[in-house]
Structure formats: C-alpha cells, structure tokens
Amino acid sequence: MNGSKIRNSKFETLILKFIVILTAFTMAGCGTLARYKQIETVTLEDKEVEIELKEAKPELRIGEKLTYEIYWMKMPVGIVVTEIKEMVELNGRQAYRLVGSARSNKWLNFLFKVDDYMESFLDKETLLSIRHTAVRKEGKYSAYLVLDYDWDNKIVKFQNLKDGTNKTFPLPTEAVDEFSAFYCFRLKEITTEKPLEFTVNQVEKNWLLKIAITSFGKMNLPGVGVFDAFMAEPVPQLGEKTFDKGSAWVWLSNDENRIPLMMKVHMNIPVVGTVVAVLQKIE
C-alpha cells in the first residue's frame, strides 16, 4: 500500500468517524433524521442570549458504549459503535483502551461493504496516543494497520501487517491518533472565544485540527433523551493548507459528559456526498 492510499483512506475515515456526531440537518421523511427539525439553534451572533458551555468531566467513563446509525442519501446504511472498554497499563502508562467498529448494512453491502475495527490506547494523564490499530475492509481495500507512538524519540512506528510495510515517521511535540481524537475533544477545555486546536496524527501526516463552537440549541432524540447541545465545526489544516475536500458539523451534549449526539459530513467527492450519524443508544 503506497503513501497516497494511506493518506486518502485514513483522512476520509477521520472525517467520517472522528467528527462523528452532530449538526443542523433538515431532511424530511427519513425516520430518525426527520426529528432534527425539532431543534432550534442560537448562533453566537445573537448577543442578547447568554450562553454557557458546561465544564467536562476530568475523566472518561469506563464502560461507556455509544451506538450510531449512519445515513447516506437519506437512507440508513450502517452502524458505528464506540466503546471505552477499560483502563490498562501500557508502556508503563495508565491508558484508556478505546474500541470502535463500523459496519455497513445489507443494503449497502451490495454496493460497497464496510467492516472496520479500531483500537486505541490514550494516555490518561497526557492525552497522547500510545498505540493505534485499525483493521479495514472497505470494498476491495483491506489493511491491518498498527501505529506505535514513541514520544521519547518523537516518532511513530507504522506497520501494515497485511502487506509487510514497516516505516517510521516524525511526530510533533503532541498528537493523538484519529480515533483517540474523538475522545480527546471531550476532555479538553473549550471556549466560545476561540477555536480549540490540537494535532491529529495520520501515519506520515500531522493535521492541525481547529474546532470552533458555532451555535447552541436543544436536541430531542426519541428513545435516547432531550439534550442541551452545542455545535462544533472542525477544520483540519496541514501546514498552511486547509482541508478543502469537505466540511463537517458536530453536535454534542452541553453537560459534563459531552456526549457526541449527531454529525453531518459533506465530502466534495463523487458518490460520497453527505453522510449523517445519529446517536441511537447510550450504554
């Protein structure tokens, strides 16, 4: 697998999975998606409204399991499940073991079958990645990727166990892998005054992710609950170049748990178009 394939597959996966969570989406007649029309938002330009961002818990809840239904072209196409499995010791550090899976349903399997598994170990104290594994089966593409983060030497050791690739790439002072970023944002201190910034590593590329809080509102997800929520808009940047192949909006609960509730991703790529993920269950 060459560098271009690594880059394209992994970054599109980041947009579709990390920024997994919520946004203003007004499709009609599509079951779960139709509920979104009940949400009223307040933008930050509405100065007469006082807005307060709630402080997040200092730790993730061990055992948390979130299930999302994925929609494409107004149709349900698959399920994404994310879990905070346990706290483990790895390389002498206490780390969250994070597990995620993405599977297409029978309808999409006829066109493009997806069966992905991810596992990340996130340092509890530093919020830096220790290890990331991804087993990908996406259409005809498959890979078994392992990234080990060596912060003493500022390098990431990359392997693709599927084809035998074995390389090392430089790291910045701090970074998280694409799946850990999903959780890292939930623990960071955020403000409406300026975007939160942190680095997301994807093998040989280190993206600066800028996440701005753009609006507030209430979200009603029948069967899940009614939430005070805020919308975050992530923008990835590589060097001086801002990612221009798509955009994303994420809604999260405005409480100490900061639960990702729903997302909308629009990719300027033929066939992909707009993808939406809606929270179905909290365990």
Side-chain angles (χ1 to χ4, degrees), residues 77-107:
V77 294
I79 296 293
V80 167
V81 179
T82 66
E83 300 180 69
I84 306 171
K85 277 287 190 181
E86 58 188 332
M87 187 72 69
V88 300
E89 184 173 322
L90 184 63
N91 297 344
R93 306 291 300 181
Q94 287 294 303
Y96 295 106
R97 179 177 170 238
L98 311 171
V99 174
S101 64
R103 292 184 174 85
S104 52
N105 61 18
K106 292 181 180 179
W107 181 87

Short mmCIF file of all heavy atoms in Angstrom, two decimals, residues 77-107:
data_model
loop_
_atom_site.label_atom_id
_atom_site.label_comp_id
_atom_site.label_asym_id
_atom_site.label_seq_id
_atom_site.Cartn_x
_atom_site.Cartn_y
_atom_site.Cartn_z
N VAL A 77 -27.50 3.19 6.24
CA VAL A 77 -26.55 2.34 5.52
C VAL A 77 -25.63 1.55 6.45
O VAL A 77 -24.87 0.70 5.99
CB VAL A 77 -25.70 3.16 4.53
CG1 VAL A 77 -26.55 3.71 3.41
CG2 VAL A 77 -24.93 4.27 5.25
N GLY A 78 -25.65 1.82 7.76
CA GLY A 78 -24.75 1.08 8.63
C GLY A 78 -24.78 1.55 10.06
O GLY A 78 -25.55 2.43 10.44
N ILE A 79 -23.93 0.93 10.87
CA ILE A 79 -23.87 1.20 12.30
C ILE A 79 -22.42 1.44 12.71
O ILE A 79 -21.50 0.74 12.26
CB ILE A 79 -24.41 0.00 13.12
CG1 ILE A 79 -25.90 -0.21 12.83
CG2 ILE A 79 -24.18 0.20 14.61
CD1 ILE A 79 -26.80 0.90 13.33
N VAL A 80 -22.21 2.45 13.56
CA VAL A 80 -20.91 2.71 14.18
C VAL A 80 -21.07 2.56 15.68
O VAL A 80 -22.02 3.10 16.27
CB VAL A 80 -20.37 4.11 13.85
CG1 VAL A 80 -19.19 4.47 14.75
CG2 VAL A 80 -19.93 4.20 12.40
N VAL A 81 -20.18 1.81 16.32
CA VAL A 81 -20.21 1.62 17.77
C VAL A 81 -18.86 2.04 18.33
O VAL A 81 -17.80 1.64 17.81
CB VAL A 81 -20.48 0.15 18.15
CG1 VAL A 81 -20.47 -0.03 19.67
CG2 VAL A 81 -21.82 -0.31 17.57
N THR A 82 -18.86 2.87 19.38
CA THR A 82 -17.63 3.28 20.04
C THR A 82 -17.72 2.93 21.52
O THR A 82 -18.77 3.09 22.14
CB THR A 82 -17.39 4.79 19.89
OG1 THR A 82 -18.40 5.52 20.59
CG2 THR A 82 -17.39 5.20 18.42
N GLU A 83 -16.61 2.43 22.08
CA GLU A 83 -16.61 1.99 23.47
C GLU A 83 -15.35 2.43 24.20
O GLU A 83 -14.26 2.44 23.64
CB GLU A 83 -16.68 0.46 23.54
CG GLU A 83 -17.91 -0.16 22.91
CD GLU A 83 -17.91 -1.67 23.02
OE1 GLU A 83 -18.05 -2.18 24.16
OE2 GLU A 83 -17.73 -2.34 21.99
N ILE A 84 -15.53 2.78 25.49
CA ILE A 84 -14.41 2.99 26.40
C ILE A 84 -14.32 1.70 27.20
O ILE A 84 -14.99 1.53 28.22
CB ILE A 84 -14.64 4.20 27.32
CG1 ILE A 84 -14.97 5.44 26.48
CG2 ILE A 84 -13.41 4.47 28.19
CD1 ILE A 84 -15.43 6.64 27.29
N LYS A 85 -13.51 0.77 26.73
CA LYS A 85 -13.53 -0.59 27.24
C LYS A 85 -13.03 -0.70 28.69
O LYS A 85 -13.67 -1.31 29.54
CB LYS A 85 -12.68 -1.49 26.35
CG LYS A 85 -13.39 -2.00 25.12
CD LYS A 85 -14.41 -3.08 25.50
CE LYS A 85 -14.96 -3.78 24.27
NZ LYS A 85 -15.96 -4.80 24.63
N GLU A 86 -11.84 -0.14 28.94
CA GLU A 86 -11.21 -0.35 30.24
C GLU A 86 -10.01 0.57 30.39
O GLU A 86 -9.58 1.23 29.43
CB GLU A 86 -10.76 -1.80 30.38
CG GLU A 86 -9.78 -2.23 29.28
CD GLU A 86 -9.48 -3.71 29.30
OE1 GLU A 86 -9.56 -4.30 30.39
OE2 GLU A 86 -9.15 -4.27 28.23
N MET A 87 -9.46 0.59 31.62
CA MET A 87 -8.21 1.27 31.88
C MET A 87 -7.13 0.20 31.98
O MET A 87 -7.30 -0.79 32.70
CB MET A 87 -8.28 2.08 33.18
CG MET A 87 -7.06 2.95 33.43
SD MET A 87 -6.97 4.37 32.32
CE MET A 87 -8.36 5.34 32.93
N VAL A 88 -6.03 0.37 31.23
CA VAL A 88 -4.96 -0.62 31.23
C VAL A 88 -3.62 0.07 31.44
O VAL A 88 -3.51 1.30 31.33
CB VAL A 88 -4.93 -1.41 29.90
CG1 VAL A 88 -6.25 -2.14 29.67
CG2 VAL A 88 -4.61 -0.49 28.73
N GLU A 89 -2.59 -0.74 31.72
CA GLU A 89 -1.23 -0.21 31.77
C GLU A 89 -0.51 -0.64 30.50
O GLU A 89 -0.47 -1.81 30.16
CB GLU A 89 -0.48 -0.72 33.00
CG GLU A 89 0.91 -0.10 33.13
CD GLU A 89 1.59 -0.47 34.44
OE1 GLU A 89 0.89 -0.53 35.47
OE2 GLU A 89 2.82 -0.71 34.40
N LEU A 90 0.05 0.33 29.78
CA LEU A 90 0.77 0.05 28.55
C LEU A 90 2.02 0.92 28.49
O LEU A 90 1.93 2.15 28.65
CB LEU A 90 -0.13 0.34 27.34
CG LEU A 90 0.46 0.01 25.96
CD1 LEU A 90 0.73 -1.48 25.83
CD2 LEU A 90 -0.49 0.47 24.85
N ASN A 91 3.16 0.30 28.30
CA ASN A 91 4.44 1.01 28.27
C ASN A 91 4.65 1.84 29.54
O ASN A 91 5.18 2.96 29.51
CB ASN A 91 4.54 1.93 27.05
CG ASN A 91 4.50 1.16 25.74
OD1 ASN A 91 4.69 -0.05 25.72
ND2 ASN A 91 4.23 1.85 24.65
N GLY A 92 4.17 1.29 30.67
CA GLY A 92 4.36 1.97 31.94
C GLY A 92 3.41 3.12 32.18
O GLY A 92 3.57 3.87 33.15
N ARG A 93 2.39 3.28 31.33
CA ARG A 93 1.45 4.39 31.45
C ARG A 93 0.03 3.86 31.63
O ARG A 93 -0.34 2.83 31.09
CB ARG A 93 1.49 5.26 30.18
CG ARG A 93 2.86 5.77 29.79
CD ARG A 93 3.40 6.78 30.76
NE ARG A 93 2.52 7.95 30.84
CZ ARG A 93 2.78 9.01 31.63
NH1 ARG A 93 3.87 9.02 32.39
NH2 ARG A 93 1.96 10.04 31.65
N GLN A 94 -0.77 4.59 32.41
CA GLN A 94 -2.19 4.29 32.51
C GLN A 94 -2.89 4.83 31.27
O GLN A 94 -2.71 6.01 30.91
CB GLN A 94 -2.79 4.92 33.77
CG GLN A 94 -2.38 4.22 35.06
CD GLN A 94 -2.94 2.81 35.15
OE1 GLN A 94 -4.15 2.59 35.07
NE2 GLN A 94 -2.04 1.83 35.31
N ALA A 95 -3.66 3.97 30.62
CA ALA A 95 -4.25 4.38 29.35
C ALA A 95 -5.68 3.88 29.23
O ALA A 95 -6.03 2.80 29.70
CB ALA A 95 -3.42 3.83 28.19
N TYR A 96 -6.51 4.71 28.57
CA TYR A 96 -7.85 4.28 28.19
C TYR A 96 -7.72 3.35 26.98
O TYR A 96 -7.02 3.67 26.01
CB TYR A 96 -8.72 5.47 27.77
CG TYR A 96 -9.01 6.46 28.85
CD1 TYR A 96 -8.38 7.72 28.85
CD2 TYR A 96 -9.95 6.20 29.85
CE1 TYR A 96 -8.66 8.66 29.83
CE2 TYR A 96 -10.24 7.14 30.82
CZ TYR A 96 -9.59 8.36 30.81
OH TYR A 96 -9.87 9.30 31.77
N ARG A 97 -8.41 2.20 27.03
CA ARG A 97 -8.50 1.33 25.85
C ARG A 97 -9.81 1.66 25.16
O ARG A 97 -10.90 1.42 25.69
CB ARG A 97 -8.44 -0.14 26.26
CG ARG A 97 -8.57 -1.08 25.06
CD ARG A 97 -8.43 -2.54 25.47
NE ARG A 97 -8.80 -3.41 24.35
CZ ARG A 97 -9.76 -4.32 24.38
NH1 ARG A 97 -10.45 -4.53 25.51
NH2 ARG A 97 -10.03 -5.06 23.32
N LEU A 98 -9.72 2.21 23.96
CA LEU A 98 -10.87 2.66 23.20
C LEU A 98 -11.07 1.74 22.00
O LEU A 98 -10.12 1.44 21.28
CB LEU A 98 -10.64 4.10 22.71
CG LEU A 98 -10.15 5.09 23.78
CD1 LEU A 98 -9.74 6.41 23.12
CD2 LEU A 98 -11.24 5.31 24.83
N VAL A 99 -12.30 1.32 21.78
CA VAL A 99 -12.60 0.37 20.70
C VAL A 99 -13.76 0.90 19.86
O VAL A 99 -14.74 1.43 20.40
CB VAL A 99 -12.96 -1.02 21.27
CG1 VAL A 99 -13.42 -1.96 20.17
CG2 VAL A 99 -11.75 -1.62 22.00
N GLY A 100 -13.64 0.77 18.57
CA GLY A 100 -14.71 1.20 17.69
C GLY A 100 -14.89 0.27 16.51
O GLY A 100 -13.95 -0.41 16.08
N SER A 101 -16.09 0.22 15.97
CA SER A 101 -16.37 -0.59 14.78
C SER A 101 -17.34 0.15 13.88
O SER A 101 -18.17 0.95 14.34
CB SER A 101 -16.94 -1.95 15.16
OG SER A 101 -18.19 -1.81 15.81
N ALA A 102 -17.22 -0.10 12.59
CA ALA A 102 -18.15 0.47 11.60
C ALA A 102 -18.52 -0.62 10.62
O ALA A 102 -17.63 -1.24 10.01
CB ALA A 102 -17.49 1.64 10.88
N ARG A 103 -19.81 -0.88 10.47
CA ARG A 103 -20.26 -1.95 9.58
C ARG A 103 -21.43 -1.46 8.73
O ARG A 103 -22.38 -0.85 9.24
CB ARG A 103 -20.69 -3.18 10.38
CG ARG A 103 -19.52 -3.87 11.07
CD ARG A 103 -19.97 -5.14 11.78
NE ARG A 103 -18.84 -5.89 12.31
CZ ARG A 103 -18.29 -5.64 13.50
NH1 ARG A 103 -18.79 -4.70 14.28
NH2 ARG A 103 -17.25 -6.36 13.91
N SER A 104 -21.34 -1.72 7.46
CA SER A 104 -22.44 -1.40 6.56
C SER A 104 -23.56 -2.41 6.72
O SER A 104 -23.35 -3.54 7.16
CB SER A 104 -21.94 -1.39 5.10
OG SER A 104 -21.26 -2.59 4.80
N ASN A 105 -24.79 -1.99 6.36
CA ASN A 105 -25.91 -2.92 6.45
C ASN A 105 -26.05 -3.72 5.15
O ASN A 105 -25.26 -3.54 4.20
CB ASN A 105 -27.20 -2.18 6.81
CG ASN A 105 -27.59 -1.14 5.76
OD1 ASN A 105 -27.12 -1.17 4.62
ND2 ASN A 105 -28.46 -0.22 6.13
N LYS A 106 -27.04 -4.60 5.09
CA LYS A 106 -27.19 -5.49 3.94
C LYS A 106 -27.41 -4.70 2.65
O LYS A 106 -26.94 -5.10 1.58
CB LYS A 106 -28.35 -6.46 4.17
CG LYS A 106 -28.08 -7.47 5.28
CD LYS A 106 -29.25 -8.43 5.44
CE LYS A 106 -28.97 -9.44 6.54
NZ LYS A 106 -30.12 -10.37 6.74
N TRP A 107 -28.12 -3.57 2.76
CA TRP A 107 -28.40 -2.77 1.56
C TRP A 107 -27.11 -2.24 0.95
O TRP A 107 -26.85 -2.38 -0.24
CB TRP A 107 -29.34 -1.62 1.91
CG TRP A 107 -29.68 -0.77 0.71
CD1 TRP A 107 -30.69 -0.98 -0.18
CD2 TRP A 107 -28.98 0.40 0.28
NE1 TRP A 107 -30.67 0.00 -1.15
CE2 TRP A 107 -29.64 0.86 -0.89
CE3 TRP A 107 -27.89 1.12 0.76
CZ2 TRP A 107 -29.22 1.99 -1.59
CZ3 TRP A 107 -27.46 2.24 0.07
CH2 TRP A 107 -28.12 2.67 -1.09
#
